[in-house]
Amino acid sequence: MTAALFTFSTLGLLGTGHAADLSVRQDAKLGTILQDSRGMTLYLYTKDEPGESSCYDQCAVAWPPLLATELPRLPGGVPGQLTLIPRKDGKQQVAYNGWPLYGWVKDTRPGQTTGQGVGKVWYAVNAGPMVQAADLGTLGKGLVGAGGMTLYLYTRDTKDVSNCYDQCAVAWPPLLTAYLPTGSAEVQKHLGTTTRKDGAVQVTYDGKPLYFWIKDQKAGDTTGQNVGGVWFIVHP
């Protein structure tokens, strides 16, 4: 176990100094997830409480906490907040929206997510609230995802079942998540997930799978509205 611990130390996860700023990446099955400065996936532990880690001893060997003496930064445009929380050994652990952050000893290179779903308590960390309501001009209030990009529903879907795959999913990328989706207070209770045929987890709103539209270029664009008579914005 000592060798494994050393490996993660070289990645900066268990260093004693300033933790380098975090970044995000788009994962094909998990959506927008947090990673450290070297591209290693960061995880949360559902047995933790916001602001408090319960992972110590052998747990912390397998899941090295992200430590820092100074608060790292999130990349521009990523919602949410980083904090430093105290650990029992006197060190400080980085937390995102209150959730303590960890690496996973079996992720050996950037981009891996082998810790996803381990024990049904470890999950990659999605970056920020995923869904909120916004004013979409003449269309009224509609749901948007990260960066304010408009979300759509597909009338050929059924409750909790997506029928958009292959070229459809290229044009209408599904909103994916690594863990339970989060949203603003007015939409949170309506959010859920459905598992796609490829194993990816897609966010739903009242059972309707949610999608982006490839031709929307900026926040507030709604060029996908009524495409083919089957794609529509989602009113909260």
Side-chain angles (χ1 to χ4, degrees), residues 215-232:
K215 292 186 179 180
D216 282 349
Q217 298 297 308
K218 65 182 184 301
D221 281 354
T222 56
T223 64
Q225 175 70 359
N226 203 30
V227 168
V230 293
W231 290 96
F232 298 92

Side-chain angles (χ1 to χ4, degrees), residues 140-152:
K141 216 170 191 181
L143 297 186
V144 299
M149 300 303 292
T150 302
L151 291 165
Y152 298 86

Side-chain angles (χ1 to χ4, degrees), residues 95-114:
Y96 178 64
N97 292 339
W99 286 98
L101 299 177
Y102 305 85
W104 169 229
V105 74
K106 291 187 179 180
D107 282 349
T108 58
R109 63 179 184 273
Q112 288 188 317
T113 56
T114 64

Side-chain angles (χ1 to χ4, degrees), residues 3 6 24 26 33 36 44 52 54 56 75-76 79 104 150-151 158 164 168 177 186 189 195 209 218 229-230:
F6 176 78
V24 296
Q26 292 294 323
I33 58 175
D36 72 6
L44 61 79
E52 183 177 354
S54 58
Y56 291 91
W104 169 229
T150 302
L151 291 165
T158 56
C164 182
C168 174
T177 184
E186 63 185 313
K189 65 182 180 180
T195 302
K218 65 182 184 301
V230 293

Side-chain angles (χ1 to χ4, degrees), residues 28-29 165 174 176 195-201:
K29 289 187 177 183
Y165 290 92
L176 303 178
T195 302
R196 295 174 58 81
K197 294 176 182 178
D198 60 1
V201 178

Side-chain angles (χ1 to χ4, degrees), residues 71-188:
L71 190 65
R73 293 175 298 180
L74 287 169
V78 174
Q81 183 179 16
L82 294 179
T83 54
L84 293 178
I85 62 172
R87 291 180 59 81
K88 294 177 181 178
D89 59 6
K91 295 178 181 178
Q92 296 187 102
Q93 183 172 358
V94 181
Y96 178 64
N97 292 339
W99 286 98
L101 299 177
Y102 305 85
W104 169 229
V105 74
K106 291 187 179 180
D107 282 349
T108 58
R109 63 179 184 273
Q112 288 188 317
T113 56
T114 64
Q116 173 68 11
V118 168
K120 296 184 178 180
V121 292
W122 291 95
Y123 296 93
V125 182
N126 285 112
M130 303 182 66
V131 181
Q132 55 190 324
D135 184 359
L136 296 177
T138 59
L139 296 178
K141 216 170 191 181
L143 297 186
V144 299
M149 300 303 292
T150 302
L151 291 165
Y152 298 86
L153 61 81
Y154 183 36
T155 59
R156 292 177 180 170
D157 286 347
T158 56
K159 184 176 175 60
D160 293 322
V161 177
S162 170
N163 291 307
C164 182
Y165 290 92
D166 304 320
Q167 288 306 306
C168 174
V170 173
W172 300 90
L175 175 62
L176 303 178
T177 184
Y179 183 52
L180 297 176
T182 58
S184 57
E186 63 185 313
V187 304
Q188 180 66 60

